[in-house]
Amino acid sequence: MAKEKVLIAVKTYPVISESYTELACTAGFREDGSWIRLYPVPFRLLEEGKRYEKYQWVEVDVARNTRDQRPESHKVLNVDGMVLLNRVDTGKNRDWAERRRLILKRNKIYTNKKEIIRKAHANELSLVIFKPAKITGFVIEDAENPDWDPQKLQTIQDKLKQGNFFDEQNLADFQPVRKLPHKFSYRFLDDEGIESKLMIEDWEIGALYWHCLEAYGPVEAPKKVREKYMDEIAATKDLYLFLGTTREHHAKKAPNPFVIVGTFYPPHETQASLL
């Protein structure tokens, strides 16, 4: 058991869980710059005052998650004891200088696909900052199943009605998050020219899709997501990918166990900002 101060940098789109209703993988950086994964965290079931934002410092009591072999994985021992601290803003000129310092200056930036896969298979890591040599595409695919598994969803809803989740809260009206009808992926090259196609599981892309759906309708919404991630982020920003292995694929040593759990896209540094 240890109290950790963590800068939240990753919050994935939730999935439903019969044990926890729904879960979002959360990860960030300790004060020394090292990665830590906080899982499982039923984010939308947290009290309003405990719902952390990205790039916000939090203080939590954690312990190594012995059910998860990935070396960065820890469990939050006392969700009610979580303390939200200051959020790191983008800066007066939106240059992201402090975010760059906290995230990029204190951590290894990987550029080689084979290296991170080898280290994941050796269980040396499961979270990395990756700098693509080039983004080559943005792929939109229909989800295999547009809705959550109905049997699992019914089990969750029955337990909610019975008050079996978080007994101190009245969650009878809680509605699990909508499943995304599309999968969004980046194609990119590493420093040897080897291409990868990895799904983006960041909460931000899900929230963007639902916003675009409401504003533009089902035909235009995926196009608007592509415009954001290709025409704006990939084309004009200094893009880094937060990659994480999934628990299942990490354990099985899958050929590529990583997915994109977050994006970090400050503006390109100018000569003046480097002085």
Side-chain angles (χ1 to χ4, degrees):
M1 176 176 176
K3 190 174 290 293
E4 293 276 8
K5 187 177 177 184
V6 179
L7 178 65
I8 301 297
V10 167
K11 189 167 63 175
T12 63
Y13 194 78
V15 296
I16 64 171
S17 163
E18 292 183 12
S19 299
Y20 298 96
T21 305
E22 66 177 39
L23 299 172
C25 178
T26 300
F29 301 94
R30 298 181 178 91
E31 291 180 283
D32 65 1
S34 61
W35 278 104
I36 183 171
R37 177 186 287 107
L38 306 176
Y39 187 84
V41 178
F43 179 79
R44 292 201 309 136
L45 295 178
L46 299 178
E47 297 176 8
E48 287 289 342
K50 304 297 182 185
R51 294 183 186 177
Y52 43 81
E53 300 180 44
K54 286 182 69 174
Y55 308 116
Q56 182 170 21
W57 286 103
V58 301
E59 193 172 71
V60 289
D61 288 316
V62 299
R64 182 72 177 86
N65 190 342
T66 56
R67 295 187 177 183
D68 187 340
Q69 74 179 85
R70 295 173 294 179
E72 302 91 345
S73 294
H74 290 67
K75 57 185 177 181
V76 178
L77 298 177
N78 180 15
V79 173
D80 292 334
M82 182 184 300
V83 178
L84 305 190
L85 304 173
N86 62 298
R87 186 172 185 269
V88 180
D89 203 353
T90 56
K92 183 181 293 185
N93 300 316
R94 300 185 66 82
D95 60 1
W96 289 40
E98 183 63 4
R99 291 184 183 180
R100 275 184 173 274
R101 184 186 71 81
L102 291 170
I103 294 174
L104 300 181
K105 306 300 183 185
R106 303 187 304 173
N107 215 313
K108 179 177 174 61
I109 312 299
Y110 290 89
T111 58
N112 187 269
K113 177 180 180 178
K114 288 186 288 190
E115 181 183 11
I116 63 171
I117 292 175
R118 176 181 59 78
K119 290 190 172 185
H121 287 173
N123 203 34
E124 295 177 18
L125 53 73
S126 66
L127 288 163
V128 299
I129 304 173
F130 194 90
K131 180 64 174 171
K134 182 180 180 180
I135 298 292
T136 58
F138 184 81
V139 181
I140 303 171
E141 301 169 287
D142 290 337
E144 295 176 4
N145 296 303
D147 299 308
W148 299 119
D149 177 83
Q151 185 174 351
K152 181 182 288 187
L153 196 59
Q154 187 61 54
T155 299
I156 292 170
Q157 290 172 338
D158 289 344
K159 288 185 177 181
L160 285 170
K161 291 176 183 178
Q162 297 165 9
N164 288 356
F165 291 117
F166 295 86
D167 291 338
E168 71 277 8
Q169 301 181 42
N170 179 12
L171 299 176
D173 297 326
F174 179 83
Q175 294 296 319
V177 69
R178 291 179 290 177
K179 187 176 183 181
L180 290 171
H182 304 288
K183 297 187 293 184
F184 302 102
S185 304
Y186 265 137
R187 288 190 185 274
F188 58 94
L189 303 180
D190 75 349
D191 58 8
E192 292 185 330
I194 298 175
E195 188 174 54
S196 296
K197 172 194 161 191
L198 295 183
M199 185 174 170
I200 306 170
E201 299 194 353
D202 192 352
W203 196 317
E204 286 183 4
I205 202 167
L208 174 64
Y209 171 77
W210 294 120
H211 172 77
C212 291
L213 180 67
E214 183 176 346
Y216 303 104
V219 175
E220 292 299 315
K223 299 178 185 178
K224 295 296 182 181
V225 175
R226 183 196 300 274
E227 288 176 10
K228 174 71 175 181
Y229 276 78
M230 279 300 288
D231 299 343
E232 181 181 339
I233 294 176
T236 70
K237 304 295 184 180
D238 188 15
L239 175 61
Y240 298 80
L241 305 177
F242 295 147
L243 305 185
T245 64
T246 66
R247 182 176 174 180
E248 177 184 4
H249 289 160
H250 188 97
K252 291 181 178 179
K253 297 184 178 182
N256 189 347
F258 288 95
V259 295
I260 300 171
V261 292
T263 54
F264 185 69
Y265 45 92
H268 288 281
E269 290 186 302
T270 63
Q271 188 62 35
S273 69
L274 296 173
L275 298 177

